[in-house]
Amino acid sequence: MDIKSAAEQLADQARRFSVFTGLTKPNPYDRFILVMGMTGSGKSTFISRCTGKDVLVGHGLYSCTDSIDVFDFNLNGRRIYLIDTPGFNDTDRSDIDTLSILASYLGASYANGVRIHGIIMLHPITGNRMSGSSLRNIEMMKAMCGFEFYNNVAIATTMWPDTTLYEDTGTLENREAELVSDQRYFGALISRGATVFRHNEKGIKNSTEEIDSGRNIVSHLIQQCEKHVPEVLQLQREITEQRKTLGETGAGIAVARDIHRAKREHEEELRRIEADMKRELAKTNSAYAANLQELKQDIEKQLRKSDREKQALRNSMQDLHHREEKIWEQRIEQMDKQFREQIAIKQEELRDMESSLDEVRRDMAQQTQDLQVKKLVAAEARNYERKIAETRKKLAAREKELRNKEEQVKQARRDAARRQSLHEKERVSSEDMQREIIVQEIRHELAAKEKKLLDMEQSLEKVRRDMARRSKHSHRKARTANDIEKRESNVKNARKEVEQAQDAHKKFSGRKAELYNGALGGVASGVASGVVAGALAAGLVCTVM
Ligand SMILES: Nc1nc2c(ncn2[C@@H]2O[C@H](COP(=O)(O)OP(=O)(O)OP(=O)(O)O)[C@@H](O)[C@H]2O)c(=O)[nH]1
Ligand SMILES: [Mg+2]
């Protein structure tokens, strides 16, 4: 995914969080549904099918990956918000942390006027039906919502195997029957109005049946809202209106039961030891008293450990917010860095393109110059051709003249021979000599002219060769002109891309505060409103009191 879409996703996520936490007022027709269930029960997959969005991609952009996430989609003209929640009894996260996350967001959201309209509880049908994990998750869900909310709970069994490959559905159906009737499982929920569904019963992954099945469950909860206006979740009421500490809430008590039990046992033990010690000291049984003293120290050590845990729990509540803030900052920082890197890469590409365009342009300029020279050469060639033609004509005329003169010389010689008179002979011979001289002169002149003609023809040949070479270049030029056009458009696009990347970065930078508010501002304002403040601040400290 490119950085721009990642930033858009972040902005979109901020918007959804902002609506869920009540920072942005939701539309009265909007519906908010919690999707719960143990780790791996298929919550993200379910949400992904309903919304058609890649739930895992955006997961945890804001907060720790094991925090909540909000997704939305349109169903029958309504905007539905599905809230992905972390499961309880997770090996990597304490139930106290999980409850803190849920209490922070749900408390703030309710304090800001947002109500939960339904809960979808997912349960993998293939899992061990008596697993501690699934029991703990059901117990926590019941404690969080309170039985008055059960009408608005949908229980959906997931992981039904592909029926074309797996035929032993009887076993699973028996398991389902047990789950539905067992009071510790879904029995109590169903007897007070919760509805059971088999999600994607045919088990064909990514099928339209899977999508329809998910949307059908959501749709049922929306209709159920009309019949039974959902109560406020017990956890929300407890920590807001009733101003209970988290440890005093039903869910808090369920989570802290073990710690409570251990602490109570230690205190009981301590009281017993102290009473024993008093008795034994009165009886001056010092050996036994010393023994008891040792035991007392041991128990006190355990109680100090509980106190340290209590302190650690106080820290974990504050840490939770700090951790979310830190992770948010890191995400933004990382995204900012990615933006800058992307811009740098695009600028580098642009520089390369610009310099190669410059090179081609210089080449082109050189060729244009060549073309002008070529025109001059062509004119020169035409000039030569004209002169050669003229010279040839002159040459032909002089040759004709030469032939006439030679004829005259021959004629004069023939006349002289006929007359025989000496005087006449001498006269004729002197005339003859003169003619001979003229003939010789003409011959010389002709030879010179022919040589000149030859030179001119050679020059012409050279000019012609030059022209041929240049016309080869002019083909290259046509190619280069096309090339330039293409390169110019590439440079233009690259420049646009750089500008767009810079623009996206600028927008992203400008929206940092808004993004931050979307993620955590709702919680901050819920807490600041004073309603949730007490509960969250006192938080889990009281859990172990
Ligand atoms: N066969 C089958 N597999 C499923 C179904 N739903 C989810 N899966 C698979 O089960 C695994 C866990 O699913 P997720 O949707 O991530 O479960 P999750 O409840 O969101 O888990 P966490 O986020 O850890 O609490 C994934 O590999 C899913 O592909 C289902 O209906 N049938
Ligand atoms: Mg998940």
Side-chain angles (χ1 to χ4, degrees):
M1 182 174 36
D2 72 16
I3 181 69
K4 205 172 151 214
S5 356
E8 273 162 16
Q9 236 184 52
L10 188 73
D12 204 33
Q13 200 179 15
R15 179 191 57 77
R16 298 191 301 260
F17 261 81
S18 181
V19 176
F20 169 58
T21 54
L23 196 69
T24 302
K25 206 172 159 41
N27 186 303
Y29 295 105
D30 292 351
R31 294 290 175 257
F32 296 86
I33 292 170
L34 293 184
V35 182
M36 300 184 74
M38 59 191 257
T39 299
S41 56
K43 300 179 292 290
S44 302
T45 310
F46 180 90
I47 294 173
S48 170
R49 297 294 176 267
C50 286
T51 58
K53 287 170 194 160
D54 194 349
V55 167
L56 295 174
V57 169
H59 193 93
L61 271 178
Y62 270 136
S63 33
C64 15
T65 43
D66 50 8
S67 186
I68 72 155
D69 216 336
V70 185
F71 298 90
D72 61 346
F73 72 109
N74 271 334
L75 186 69
N76 305 328
R78 269 185 209 281
R79 188 122 285 256
I80 311 291
Y81 289 84
L82 294 180
I83 296 119
D84 197 351
T85 63
F88 287 92
N89 216 24
D90 190 291
T91 43
D92 300 329
R93 186 186 46 242
S94 78
D95 284 356
I96 288 165
D97 272 353
T98 306
L99 185 60
S100 302
I101 294 164
L102 289 166
S104 302
Y105 281 103
L106 286 169
S109 171
Y110 179 58
N112 287 331
V114 178
R115 300 283 291 265
I116 299 298
H117 299 95
I119 291 179
I120 296 173
M121 181 71 193
L122 298 181
H123 182 89
I125 193 67
T126 45
N128 176 355
R129 68 185 186 284
M130 286 306 173
S131 90
S133 242
S134 49
L135 263 178
R136 169 46 69 96
N137 275 280
I138 295 166
E139 184 190 14
M140 290 307 297
M141 190 274 280
K142 285 181 189 166
M144 274 175 60
C145 71
F147 63 80
E148 285 176 325
F149 195 89
Y150 290 2
N151 279 309
N152 303 91
V153 172
I155 298 155
T157 46
T158 56
M159 313 280 172
W160 285 90
D162 188 332
T163 45
T164 54
L165 306 169
Y166 186 92
E167 284 166 7
D168 188 21
T169 47
T171 313
L172 299 181
E173 279 162 11
N174 288 342
R175 187 171 292 171
E176 183 194 36
E178 268 185 76
L179 286 171
V180 164
S181 56
D182 192 324
Q183 292 299 300
R184 288 171 306 157
Y185 274 87
F186 303 122
L189 283 156
I190 293 162
S191 59
R192 285 186 178 266
T195 317
V196 185
F197 292 88
R198 286 181 188 174
H199 171 54
N200 193 23
E201 192 185 349
K202 284 188 186 157
I204 304 165
K205 277 191 177 179
N206 281 321
S207 57
T208 48
E209 281 100 330
E210 190 183 1
I211 298 169
D212 290 346
S213 160
R215 293 187 167 196
N216 178 43
I217 296 168
V218 174
S219 183
H220 160 80
L221 285 177
I222 305 307
Q223 282 164 20
Q224 198 69 356
C225 270
E226 313 295 325
K227 290 188 231 155
H228 300 274
V229 176
E231 285 296 324
V232 176
L233 295 183
Q234 185 181 313
L235 177 68
Q236 291 179 314
R237 201 189 290 285
E238 284 172 325
I239 63 167
T240 56
E241 289 161 11
Q242 296 171 2
R243 295 182 173 254
K244 283 185 181 173
T245 65
L246 196 55
E248 289 168 339
T249 64
I253 289 167
V255 167
R257 199 166 287 147
D258 285 348
I259 311 173
H260 269 299
R261 196 171 43 240
K263 192 172 159 79
R264 266 203 311 273
E265 279 169 11
H266 288 141
E267 282 169 345
E268 188 64 27
E269 178 82 350
L270 192 62
R271 270 196 296 276
R272 202 175 47 75
I273 290 169
E274 278 171 349
D276 273 5
M277 272 174 73
K278 233 183 208 168
R279 257 197 324 275
E280 294 308 320
L281 279 171
K283 285 195 261 169
T284 64
N285 186 348
S286 58
Y288 188 46
N291 220 343
L292 284 175
Q293 179 64 28
E294 223 173 88
L295 256 173
K296 187 183 172 225
Q297 281 170 353
D298 200 35
I299 296 291
E300 279 170 347
K301 207 168 129 194
Q302 303 249 25
L303 279 169
R304 278 198 299 278
K305 191 173 156 239
S306 286
D307 283 344
R308 275 202 305 278
E309 272 177 0
K310 186 178 83 176
Q311 187 57 41
L313 285 174
R314 186 205 301 272
N315 290 343
S316 83
M317 189 67 204
Q318 288 160 348
D319 280 352
L320 178 79
H321 282 287
H322 283 314
R323 208 167 62 210
E324 298 233 348
E325 269 174 5
K326 241 203 193 95
I327 286 172
W328 180 86
E329 274 164 16
Q330 278 169 1
R331 301 267 176 202
I332 293 284
E333 190 51 45
Q334 192 189 355
M335 217 166 253
D336 205 71
K337 195 170 145 233
Q338 277 177 297
F339 263 117
R340 277 183 269 122
E341 278 170 1
Q342 205 183 45
I343 290 172
I345 291 170
K346 282 189 191 295
Q347 278 173 333
E348 178 71 33
E349 279 171 3
L350 176 64
R351 270 197 297 276
D352 281 354
M353 281 182 185
E354 280 175 338
S355 80
S356 88
L357 174 65
D358 272 356
E359 218 167 89
V360 175
R361 271 189 182 140
R362 274 198 299 277
D363 198 19
M364 177 88 166
Q366 182 62 43
Q367 284 172 26
T368 311
Q369 211 178 6
D370 283 357
L371 189 72
Q372 280 161 358
V373 173
K374 191 188 149 198
K375 276 183 191 156
L376 287 178
V377 170
E380 199 183 344
R382 278 198 300 279
N383 204 17
Y384 271 118
E385 278 167 346
R386 191 170 43 74
K387 275 186 185 160
I388 288 172
E390 269 171 26
T391 311
R392 277 212 179 105
K393 221 158 124 189
K394 278 183 194 161
L395 206 61
R398 287 300 266 165
E399 271 173 349
K400 200 174 163 193
E401 204 179 328
L402 182 67
R403 275 194 298 277
N404 283 343
K405 293 281 182 210
E406 279 174 342
E407 194 50 42
Q408 279 174 19
V409 171
K410 279 182 199 156
Q411 190 59 45
R413 274 189 189 139
R414 277 197 298 272
D415 288 351
R418 245 190 341 266
R419 287 188 199 112
Q420 289 299 315
S421 92
L422 195 62
H423 177 71
E424 189 71 6
K425 249 185 188 169
E426 275 172 2
R427 192 183 56 82
V428 168
S429 128
S430 122
E431 276 177 8
D432 202 20
M433 268 175 70
Q434 271 174 5
R435 278 198 192 96
E436 216 33 273
I437 287 165
I438 289 172
V439 166
Q440 282 309 324
E441 274 173 5
I442 290 177
R443 272 204 186 114
H444 277 135
E445 190 192 315
L446 273 176
K449 279 214 162 99
E450 261 162 11
K451 181 155 185 317
K452 199 173 150 196
L453 188 63
L454 202 68
D455 283 350
M456 271 160 64
E457 277 174 343
Q458 273 170 0
S459 298
L460 179 63
E461 199 44 46
K462 215 170 109 203
V463 170
R464 275 191 180 134
R465 274 201 303 274
D466 200 17
M467 269 171 67
R469 188 171 55 80
R470 284 171 201 279
S471 72
K472 235 193 248 168
H473 277 194
S474 81
H475 286 306
R476 211 178 94 210
K477 190 190 159 208
R479 269 210 316 272
T480 314
N482 262 344
D483 196 22
I484 284 197
E485 215 169 279
K486 230 183 348 216
R487 274 165 205 267
E488 276 174 344
S489 118
N490 286 348
V491 166
K492 212 168 126 189
N493 288 341
R495 208 169 277 149
K496 212 152 106 195
E497 271 185 37
V498 169
E499 278 165 13
Q500 277 171 350
Q502 283 170 332
D503 207 41
H505 184 212
K506 220 161 103 188
K507 269 193 204 144
F508 176 77
S509 304
R511 293 187 68 183
K512 276 182 195 170
E514 186 193 326
L515 296 176
Y516 179 84
N517 268 342
L520 300 166
V523 175
S525 89
V527 171
S529 72
V531 193
V532 211
L536 293 185
L540 295 154
V541 176
C542 302
T543 313
V544 287
M545 290 308 241

